[in-house]
Amino acid sequence: MLSNSDNSDKVIKIFSGIRCVSKDQLPRYLDGRLTDVEKHLVEQHLTDCDLCFEALQALEKEGNMDKYTDLTGKLQRYIQQSIRPVSQEQKVLQYTRKERTKENLLVYFWVLAFAILGVSGVYVLKGHMRNNPTIPRLMVSAIPPAEAEKMPATEPAVTSQPIIAANHTSSVSNTAPAPAAAAPASAAAAPAAVDSAKIKLLAAERAAKRKAQADSALKASQAAAEARKQDSLKKLAEEKAKKDQEAEAAAKAAKEKEKEKEPEPAPKKEEKKEDAPPPTNSDENLYKAALQFQQQGNLSEAMDRYKRIEANGSGKYVEMARYQLGICYRSKGQSARARRMFKEVVRMNGSLKAAAQQALDTM
Amino acid sequence: MHQQLTSLSDKELISRTRKQKDRESEGVLMDRYSHLLVAITLPQLQKNPSLDPNIVFPTLLQRLSASLRTQSIYKANEWIMHTQRAYLNNQEKATPFYPSREARDLLHIENKVDKASTNTIDRQEIILRLEQALQRLAPEEKELLDEFYVEQKSFSDLAAAKGWNRDKVRNQLKAAKAKLAKLFINQAYVK
């Protein structure tokens, strides 16, 4: 039974696939140097394989063996050479292809990078150009606080002139002592580049003259009144009509006194400004004087006057004075105070609000 | 890589050559059969001195390489044999290779046996059917096969015993095996 099973196991060998005789086995089989098992396997294969059997037959003939070994060696070398170089060539080709793609990518990268750089450079330049106008503006605001002062300073002076002129024309038409008032007005209107001391002196002289004129006028009127009274005492009967005249004269005198008093305070204010009761004229004059001081570069005097206007004055002169104070502070370099002044002007919400705001913005 | 490829079977090498266009595996396959190719071509080279081995072998290899990509190859030895014969008979014309019916049958049975090597049930069934097929063979053939495969006698022993030369022993064995294969396959169809 056992032998039977063994036999049956061996039967299956009939159809077991066996590889062709190898280069090593072939000569050994021919020489009979194989083991029994190996030899049997080779013979099993030989029954099936025409190739191996024919090769065996060919090699059994004399003199073929040397040629066989020679040619086999050559052929194998040929095969290895023909295949390895190809694979190496393929590798080299692949490598070069990779390198080429890398280089191409690098080229693309750099081109892109430069393009981006160029575009961003142009953008930055444009931005710079756009910002450029602000730099001159800054320069302007840095350099000419004096100019900036002059601009608003001259403007109010110009605007104030017609007002003054109107006042004076009315006073001229109304009264005789008007020229006295016109004189300082013209003096103020023509603010030549004269020293303040000279101006003061001139003003004092004129004020003295005007006082003298006013006094003489008063005396004359009083004398006339007395004379008329004396006449009336003498001629009582006729004097009813004359009393009317006297009354008229008195009224006239009173009017004259009033009109004389009007020009008086203006020069007084220029001499001692704190005494001035009428607000507008004194503010105006103070402001003009301050402007003059400011234009002449005497900032402390100008600021003093502006402060006075600010303390006592009213309406637009306070605003203007504050604005000018702000400018004075700015030109002195006290930017915090200047800013405060401008802010106050802005808060006052007057005609100079926009200018103050601009000054604030440029500071 | 080369070392790993040498351990692969012919079939795997061929499929690698075809699918992955692997020149190396093609080289390994050619290398495996190069000595046999030289051996079978030697008689022709001696007979015909006009044949230059420096031309014959490279062109043979080229033909093999070309047919490797296009033709179905069941057994590499048969394919190489056919290509060599075709080349030497007519060097101009490349005759395509068709595997023979016998070779396909043999391969089929070999694959079955190979598959059943670890499966005892399949194995027992194959053995049973082989025994049945053997019973249907002529007694001399059965005896010859038994002596060769079961008793493991060599060609020379058999030749000595029968009084034949080695070639005849081999051819008789081959014929008997072919018959057996045919019987085995036909049994399968009958079943």
Side-chain angles (χ1 to χ4, degrees):
Chain A
M1 191 64 195
L2 257 173
S3 66
N4 194 21
S5 73
D6 273 356
N7 286 352
S8 62
D9 270 5
K10 279 170 186 167
V11 163
I12 213 169
K13 281 194 322 189
I14 300 172
F15 291 109
S16 57
I18 297 163
R19 277 193 184 181
C20 282
V21 184
S22 72
K23 192 173 51 179
D24 171 53
Q25 280 173 326
L26 196 57
R28 275 164 67 211
Y29 177 76
L30 285 171
D31 298 345
R33 284 190 283 120
L34 289 172
T35 60
D36 283 349
V37 177
E38 225 178 345
K39 191 182 174 189
H40 183 65
L41 281 173
V42 168
E43 284 182 345
Q44 267 187 56
H45 176 71
L46 282 174
T47 48
D48 293 332
C49 183
D50 291 334
L51 183 73
C52 291
F53 192 68
E54 205 168 301
L56 204 69
Q57 279 179 323
L59 291 183
E60 275 173 345
K61 286 176 188 168
E62 280 296 318
N64 276 3
M65 204 56 199
D66 297 336
K67 212 175 181 187
Y68 160 77
T69 45
D70 176 41
L71 281 176
T72 309
K74 272 186 188 171
L75 186 57
Q76 283 179 344
R77 250 172 281 140
Y78 174 78
I79 289 167
Q80 282 172 4
Q81 278 172 5
S82 65
I83 278 156
R84 284 221 179 115
V86 166
S87 60
Q88 272 178 355
E89 269 172 33
Q90 279 177 343
K91 277 175 196 167
V92 167
L93 268 176
Q94 281 179 350
Y95 179 75
T96 46
R97 228 174 278 157
K98 266 186 192 174
E99 286 296 301
R100 228 174 269 163
T101 49
K102 257 189 206 170
E103 275 173 23
N104 284 343
L105 278 175
L106 264 177
V107 165
Y108 292 144
F109 169 75
W110 282 117
V111 165
L112 250 176
F114 278 117
I116 288 167
L117 259 175
V119 167
S120 55
V122 166
Y123 182 77
V124 166
L125 248 174
K126 270 190 177 176
H128 194 68
M129 298 290 279
R130 218 180 296 135
N131 290 340
N132 250 355
T134 61
I135 291 167
R137 210 182 281 165
L138 279 173
M139 298 277 281
V140 163
S141 65
I143 295 165
E147 279 180 54
E149 283 164 27
K150 277 172 195 169
M151 286 297 287
T154 51
E155 274 172 319
V158 168
T159 48
S160 62
Q161 269 183 350
I163 302 164
I164 297 160
N167 279 346
H168 290 300
T169 47
S170 65
S171 66
V172 163
S173 64
N174 283 339
T175 57
S186 63
V194 197
D195 290 346
S196 58
K198 277 184 180 176
I199 290 171
K200 272 183 181 177
L201 277 172
L202 274 171
E205 282 175 9
R206 278 169 198 165
K209 277 178 186 175
R210 268 169 237 146
K211 258 193 168 181
Q213 281 179 353
D215 287 349
S216 62
L218 257 177
K219 280 172 186 173
S221 63
Q222 280 171 358
E226 279 174 11
R228 279 166 203 161
K229 276 176 185 176
Q230 285 169 359
D231 289 344
S232 64
L233 283 170
K234 287 168 185 175
K235 306 168 184 179
L236 282 167
E238 300 171 15
E239 278 173 6
K240 278 183 184 176
K242 280 181 185 177
K243 274 177 186 174
D244 292 348
Q245 285 180 346
E246 278 177 20
E248 281 178 13
K252 275 182 184 175
K255 274 181 188 175
E256 280 172 357
K257 276 175 189 174
E258 278 177 8
K259 280 162 193 172
E260 281 163 9
K261 274 177 188 174
E262 268 186 38
E264 271 174 18
K268 271 179 188 171
K269 269 172 235 153
E270 283 192 336
E271 283 174 343
K272 11 174 175 169
K273 272 108 192 177
E274 284 167 351
D275 309 343
T280 53
N281 247 352
S282 68
D283 283 348
E284 189 186 320
N285 290 332
L286 256 181
Y287 184 75
K288 280 175 199 157
L291 263 182
Q292 273 187 353
F293 282 128
Q294 194 181 339
Q295 281 169 7
Q296 285 155 14
N298 197 346
L299 281 177
S300 54
E301 288 280 334
M303 280 166 74
D304 187 39
R305 277 159 184 73
Y306 287 136
K307 275 176 187 166
R308 252 184 263 162
I309 294 171
E310 193 192 351
N312 308 330
S314 64
K316 81 175 187 195
Y317 282 105
V318 174
E319 190 190 357
M320 282 156 78
R322 275 183 181 159
Y323 181 79
Q324 294 300 335
L325 259 178
I327 286 166
C328 288
Y329 279 132
R330 193 175 65 182
S331 50
K332 269 189 156 187
Q334 299 170 331
S335 57
R337 284 183 177 181
R339 213 169 280 148
R340 205 187 307 143
M341 278 298 149
F342 288 132
K343 274 177 188 167
E344 273 177 22
V345 172
V346 170
R347 211 177 299 143
M348 285 171 84
N349 208 9
S351 58
L352 283 171
K353 184 189 177 183
Q357 191 60 55
Q358 198 187 345
L360 264 178
D361 289 344
T362 53
M363 266 180 88
Chain B
M1 192 61 196
H2 194 267
Q3 292 297 318
Q4 289 172 335
L5 285 174
T6 46
S7 63
L8 289 179
S9 71
D10 293 350
K11 198 182 163 188
E12 280 172 289
L13 286 175
I14 290 166
S15 71
R16 278 182 77 96
T17 311
R18 282 185 184 160
K19 288 177 185 168
Q20 301 173 22
K21 295 183 177 172
D22 188 357
R23 295 270 300 173
E24 230 175 340
S25 55
E26 189 186 338
V28 169
L29 187 70
M30 298 294 183
D31 190 58
R32 190 176 280 176
Y33 288 99
S34 61
H35 64 288
L36 296 173
L37 191 64
V38 169
I40 58 167
T41 322
L42 267 178
Q44 309 282 339
L45 288 175
Q46 281 178 340
K47 241 190 260 172
N48 193 350
S50 66
L51 289 172
D52 181 8
N54 291 329
I55 297 164
V56 170
F57 289 113
T59 38
L60 258 176
L61 285 176
Q62 275 176 12
R63 282 204 180 187
L64 284 171
S65 162
S67 69
L68 187 62
R69 300 215 171 100
T70 52
Q71 295 176 1
S72 51
I73 297 158
Y74 292 99
K75 286 210 157 219
N77 49 11
E78 204 181 5
W79 161 63
I80 285 172
M81 188 89 181
H82 169 86
T83 314
Q84 190 258 2
R85 283 275 153 75
Y87 174 70
L88 289 177
N89 288 341
N90 189 350
Q91 291 182 14
E92 310 305 318
K93 192 184 162 197
T95 30
F97 163 68
Y98 298 109
S100 64
R101 173 69 201 260
E102 289 76 28
R104 265 191 290 168
D105 284 353
L106 206 62
L107 186 74
H108 181 68
I109 299 166
E110 275 177 11
N111 285 343
K112 255 190 166 179
V113 169
D114 193 43
K115 254 187 177 176
S117 63
T118 51
N119 189 333
T120 12
I121 296 170
D122 282 0
R123 204 179 154 83
Q124 289 303 321
E125 196 195 334
I126 288 168
I127 287 168
L128 190 71
R129 282 170 59 197
L130 260 180
E131 293 282 0
Q132 284 172 357
L134 270 173
Q135 298 305 322
R136 295 165 108 198
L137 276 176
E140 315 91 63
E141 288 168 335
K142 188 180 178 290
E143 196 187 341
L144 188 69
L145 285 176
D146 270 345
E147 280 176 359
F148 184 68
Y149 285 105
V150 180
E151 293 168 27
Q152 299 197 2
K153 283 184 180 172
S154 68
F155 283 166
S156 46
D157 293 344
L158 282 172
K162 306 272 178 187
W164 301 335
N165 62 6
R166 195 193 65 188
D167 292 6
K168 194 179 178 186
V169 171
R170 190 246 166 190
N171 289 339
Q172 288 290 326
L173 273 172
K174 193 186 174 188
K177 196 179 170 180
K179 259 187 189 175
L180 184 65
K182 211 173 185 181
L183 282 168
F184 185 84
I185 292 283
N186 287 347
Q187 254 182 348
Y189 287 135
V190 168
K191 190 190 166 188

